[in-house]
Amino acid sequence: MLSLKWRLSLMTALLAGLTLTACDDDDDKTPVADSGVVVACTPECGACEVCDTTGEAPMCVSTCGEGTTCQDGACVAEGGGEVTCEPGCGPCQVCDNMGACVDTCGVGSECVDGACQALPPPPTCDPACGACQACDTSGDAPACIDLCGAGAECQDGLCVPSAPPAACDPACGACEACDTSGENPVCVPLCGDGAQCTDGVCTPIPAPTCDPGCSPCQRCDVSGETPVCVDNCGDGLECAEGVCQAVPEVCDPECGPCQRCIGGACESTCGGSEVCIEGVCVRDSVHAGMEALAGPFATGPAVTAACLNCHQEQADHFLNSAHWKWAGPSPGLVGAEGQNNIGKTNLINNFCIAVPSNEARCTQCHAGYDWRGEDYDFQDQTKMDCLTCHAQPGTYAKAPTTAGNPTDNTNLLVAARSVGESKVANCGSCHFSAGGGDNVKKGDLGSHLLQATRNDDVHMGSGMECANCHAGQDHQIMGRSVHNVATNGPVNCTDCHGEAGFHANPMMDNHAQDIACQTCHIPAFSRNQPTKMNWDWSTAGNRTLGENGVVRAALDDGTMVTAYDAMKGDFVWMKDVRPEYGWWDGRATRMTITDQFPEGVGGEGNPIVLGKPVATHEDLGAKIWPFKVMRGRQAVDPARRLVIVPKLFGPGGFWGAIPAADAYTAEGVEALWASSLTAGAQYSGQIDANTSYAAGDWAWGYTEMWMGINHEVAPPAMALGCNDCHNGGAFDWEALGYNCDPMMGANCGSRH
């Protein structure tokens, strides 16, 4: 016998009404549902009964469970006792044979005045749905939806599989597709113009070529039916080593050195102010025909000895120059204002670090010969290199690894007899390559200035030479900077342009009291060539990267640079760089190899400052200057607070011992660093001969060095305007000591 709880559930379902369901896509021949009609028992069920519609035909079933019977419309216990619930049941509830009240109204019904009544029928579609459709009442309004899914169609009220798409007969071949968009399927080619089908794949049709191939100075003409080789060289030209060149004229007798045959006659290739020396055209100066320079010269010092015959006084003067000693007066160096022995020889930087222990490589740019170690004799005037500054550009070059000696292919006789006033190229042979490469160091001195326009540099682009500004008396080279404090005297714009009155707008002259000329007139540096802005030595030594340890990369404008070199580490290059700005009155800090850095510095956010101007806006003699700030990462001794001098070049140096790619290990490179740091630090006096560095004794520290920007002066039209600095311009006013842009009000701060 059915339990009362099951019977009540059944009654609930019947009261809710039953709706037939449609077939789904998986049963394509199931009958479609009709609208939701409630099925009932006829005649109606009596007391203690409900209508069961779960079978083939509706039937009445008792609601009384086992051990109960119906008496007066209520289920009572057999034997005469009525089953009761405490407390009593409410409307539309009955007490089951377990003594529990249960609801008699199920899903689709509700209790109204103590009786279960059917809820209103569900909404239906109007008009009624068609074949193979069902009424969807889940939305705001009933809507008919198709029951036949993808790949099926309605036939005679049933969902049946759709007919397959039309196909090409016969089937299409390779590189073809069946086009069924028209009335009849047709095969169409997939390969377009200029392509052909090769092994089922569309490939370009090879361009016609000449067979056999053409010779040098010929080209394959494919304009006709058959490709044919034709000559590129026209009348009066001949093919010489694959290049079309003019047929040389024949002179009899043959032309001599510095001559060429034109119209059957020999003419000189030298200009009006040049003479021919050893087949080379050199400037015609008093030196070109001097008997004292007749040579031959086997070495650079031999040339210098000949120079001294006439120029002993100049040599005496040069002995005391910072260019010769790489040291000199440092009146602007805080704490060393009265000293005369600080310069490149004992300063530390974040390019190639330091000179000591690396002299034979660094002194390629010394105006002397054979400086290989600390025993170099600075009083030996025959070691002076007159040619590096005075030989005609193009006639003389120093070898990079020979302590400043000339290259093997330099004709010293030609170079000696070409001497004269220094040119941009003489100075640039060292200064353009400072820091290890073209435009690497300063950022405002690169080889592009050899052919400078006024937009590159108004001075050199107007034909001025470096010596026009920098040549002082008695072979003293003038100039000063933050990063190289040794100076024989400053060079100022006002030396030529005056102190005031050179601007049409008086406000600009007023600005010149507080702002260096360079600040406005060099709006950006490295405008034509990229410069290094960051150098991370900590990654050096890995030849597994790139091509044998060299990785090339492109800047945003396509300029290719070396992003990594196993000899030197990672680099960041930039082009068209806006300077950083600071107050400078000629005073600066600058670390020597024996200076200690402060405690707690060396992190990325708090670098060791190798050199920086010290003035503030409160120093009335100071002006705002533009600077390149070079940042890097290099070896430091945390305990002694020293920036360590590494031995990079020569026996025992880091560069010569970098392992090949197949021998690389990080531990091996770290050991190599420890060895080269020990050698450099011992040589330079940072540690004694009995001390060495091991893992944990040294670390990598972050550094920065400020360098003044003085070249690449732009034309007036390119100078900074008011809004480049004020009203949201690029100036960091807080870094300059102001609360905000002084144009915004007196509360921002002022010097006046």
Side-chain angles (χ1 to χ4, degrees):
M1 192 175 201
L2 298 175
S3 70
L4 178 60
K5 186 175 292 186
W6 185 92
R7 293 172 185 275
L8 290 172
S9 299
L10 176 62
M11 182 176 68
T12 298
L14 293 171
L15 289 171
L18 300 175
T19 303
L20 295 177
T21 58
C23 66
D24 57 21
D25 293 340
D26 296 327
D27 187 2
D28 54 24
K29 293 186 178 181
T30 303
V32 179
D34 67 16
S35 58
V37 178
V38 178
V39 182
C41 292
T42 303
E44 294 182 358
C45 298
C48 304
E49 290 184 326
V50 293
C51 186
D52 179 6
T53 61
T54 60
E56 294 183 359
M59 61 180 293
C60 294
V61 295
S62 175
T63 60
C64 296
E66 295 181 2
T68 62
T69 187
C70 185
Q71 292 184 7
D72 299 326
C75 293
V76 297
E78 293 178 351
E82 181 179 356
V83 179
T84 60
C85 292
E86 292 294 338
C89 298
C92 303
Q93 290 184 322
V94 295
C95 187
D96 69 8
N97 61 334
M98 301 298 293
C101 294
V102 294
D103 292 328
T104 59
C105 300
V107 178
S109 67
E110 61 183 350
C111 185
V112 179
D113 297 330
C116 293
Q117 295 184 2
L119 292 171
T124 60
C125 292
D126 187 14
C129 298
C132 302
Q133 290 186 320
C135 186
D136 180 6
T137 61
S138 62
D140 294 336
C144 293
I145 58 173
D146 291 327
L147 295 173
C148 299
E153 60 185 18
C154 187
Q155 292 184 8
D156 299 328
L158 300 176
C159 292
V160 298
S162 301
C168 292
D169 189 13
C172 299
C175 304
E176 289 186 325
C178 187
D179 182 3
T180 60
S181 61
E183 293 183 2
N184 298 310
V186 60
C187 292
V188 295
L190 294 175
C191 301
D193 294 340
Q196 63 183 9
C197 186
T198 304
D199 297 329
V201 179
C202 293
T203 59
I205 297 175
T209 59
C210 292
D211 188 13
C214 299
S215 302
C217 303
Q218 288 185 324
R219 69 180 186 279
C220 186
D221 183 359
V222 297
S223 60
E225 293 184 3
T226 303
V228 60
C229 294
V230 296
D231 291 331
N232 280 332
C233 302
D235 294 339
L237 299 176
E238 65 178 4
C239 185
E241 297 182 357
V243 179
C244 292
Q245 297 180 353
V247 176
E249 297 188 56
V250 178
C251 285
D252 189 15
E254 292 183 358
C255 298
C258 306
Q259 289 184 325
R260 59 186 173 185
C261 183
I262 298 179
C266 294
E267 294 186 3
S268 175
T269 57
C270 299
S273 59
E274 294 180 317
V275 295
C276 183
I277 306 267
E278 299 272 308
V280 180
C281 294
V282 300
R283 53 191 165 193
D284 187 7
S285 70
V286 65
H287 298 91
M290 287 186 66
E291 188 66 28
L293 297 177
F297 299 109
T299 64
V303 176
T304 302
C307 297
L308 291 174
N309 289 327
C310 296
H311 297 291
Q312 183 63 57
E313 182 180 6
Q314 286 76 15
D316 292 340
H317 292 155
F318 192 60
L319 276 180
N320 295 314
S321 71
H323 259 61
W324 168 246
K325 297 189 297 183
W326 277 9
S330 53
L333 180 58
V334 175
E337 292 85 352
Q339 295 187 28
N340 196 41
N341 60 347
I342 295 177
K344 287 174 66 70
T345 55
N346 48 20
L347 292 173
I348 201 94
N349 63 65
N350 49 10
F351 290 92
C352 290
I353 315 300
V355 173
S357 76
N358 302 299
E359 290 91 346
R361 183 66 179 86
C362 297
T363 56
Q364 174 195 1
C365 278
H366 180 236
Y369 300 114
D370 298 321
W371 183 358
R372 301 179 186 276
E374 55 190 348
D375 59 348
Y376 188 65
D377 185 0
F378 285 95
Q379 298 302 311
D380 185 352
Q381 294 180 343
T382 65
K383 296 298 185 181
M384 293 179 177
D385 184 355
C386 307
L387 297 178
T388 194
C389 295
H390 293 287
Q392 179 173 302
T395 67
Y396 181 79
K398 282 174 171 282
T401 60
T402 60
N405 282 284
T407 59
D408 291 339
N409 61 353
T410 295
N411 188 323
L412 291 172
L413 175 62
V414 171
R417 300 182 74 174
S418 75
V419 297
E421 294 181 348
S422 300
K423 300 294 182 182
V424 169
N426 293 105
C427 304
S429 65
C430 285
H431 290 278
F432 292 170
S433 300
D438 195 358
N439 201 48
V440 163
K441 191 170 188 177
K442 288 286 279 86
D444 61 353
L445 287 174
S447 63
H448 68 283
L449 295 175
L450 292 172
Q451 305 294 330
T453 67
R454 283 182 55 81
N455 282 351
D456 299 330
D457 183 286
V458 294
H459 300 111
M460 284 178 264
S462 299
M464 292 180 65
E465 306 291 348
C466 305
N468 294 140
C469 294
H470 292 281
Q473 295 293 319
D474 299 332
H475 266 71
Q476 305 303 301
I477 309 301
M478 313 299 286
R480 63 175 179 173
S481 65
V482 171
H483 74 286
N484 195 358
V485 294
T487 178
N488 292 126
V491 174
N492 299 309
C493 301
T494 53
D495 295 344
C496 294
H497 296 285
E499 291 288 346
F502 40 83
H503 293 108
N505 186 341
M507 178 57 72
M508 294 184 181
D509 281 347
N510 184 50
H511 272 57
Q513 299 177 44
D514 304 307
I515 302 173
C517 306
Q518 293 90 326
T519 299
C520 294
H521 289 281
I522 308 177
F525 60 89
S526 294
R527 299 194 295 270
N528 289 282
Q529 288 180 267
T531 187
K532 283 181 186 175
M533 298 297 294
N534 193 298
W535 187 329
D536 185 353
W537 279 94
S538 70
T539 61
N542 189 353
R543 293 196 188 276
T544 68
L545 301 178
E547 185 173 346
N548 194 29
V550 176
V551 178
R552 299 278 289 167
L555 300 182
D556 291 342
D557 67 351
T559 302
M560 296 301 297
V561 297
T562 297
Y564 176 82
D565 188 329
M567 293 178 64
K568 301 178 181 180
D570 280 293
F571 310 124
V572 174
W573 296 80
M574 294 180 67
K575 195 174 179 182
D576 198 23
V577 186
R578 182 75 182 263
E580 296 186 41
Y581 300 98
W583 294 99
W584 188 42
D585 58 2
R587 297 177 300 126
T589 60
R590 188 69 176 87
M591 281 192 69
T592 68
I593 58 178
T594 57
D595 286 337
Q596 292 182 301
F597 54 79
E599 292 185 0
V601 302
E604 188 170 10
N606 188 22
I608 300 166
V609 177
L610 303 181
K612 187 176 183 178
V614 298
T616 71
H617 71 293
E618 296 179 351
D619 295 304
L620 297 182
K623 294 184 178 183
I624 298 174
W625 285 75
F627 295 92
K628 171 185 173 179
V629 181
M630 180 66 185
R631 295 178 169 87
R633 196 175 183 206
Q634 56 202 106
V636 299
D637 182 334
R640 297 176 178 83
R641 304 205 314 273
L642 297 172
V643 179
I644 307 175
V645 175
K647 180 171 179 54
L648 300 173
F649 180 76
F654 179 81
W655 287 339
I658 295 174
D662 59 2
Y664 168 80
T665 64
E667 295 77 11
V669 171
E670 183 178 10
L672 174 57
W673 269 121
S675 174
S676 66
L677 293 173
T678 297
Q682 288 178 345
Y683 183 98
S684 61
Q686 291 183 314
I687 59 176
D688 60 46
N690 297 319
T691 302
S692 62
Y693 286 116
D697 295 336
W698 59 280
W700 296 108
Y702 290 89
T703 60
E704 71 174 32
M705 184 170 69
W706 291 55
M707 297 178 287
I709 298 296
N710 294 286
H711 305 93
E712 291 190 347
V713 177
M718 294 172 60
L720 297 181
C722 301
N723 289 331
D724 290 316
C725 305
H726 297 288
N727 303 319
F731 259 44
D732 185 348
W733 290 105
E734 291 187 8
L736 291 169
Y738 294 91
N739 297 324
C740 50
D741 180 352
M743 288 285 288
M744 306 308 294
N747 62 322
C748 292
S750 174
R751 301 183 77 207
H752 304 292

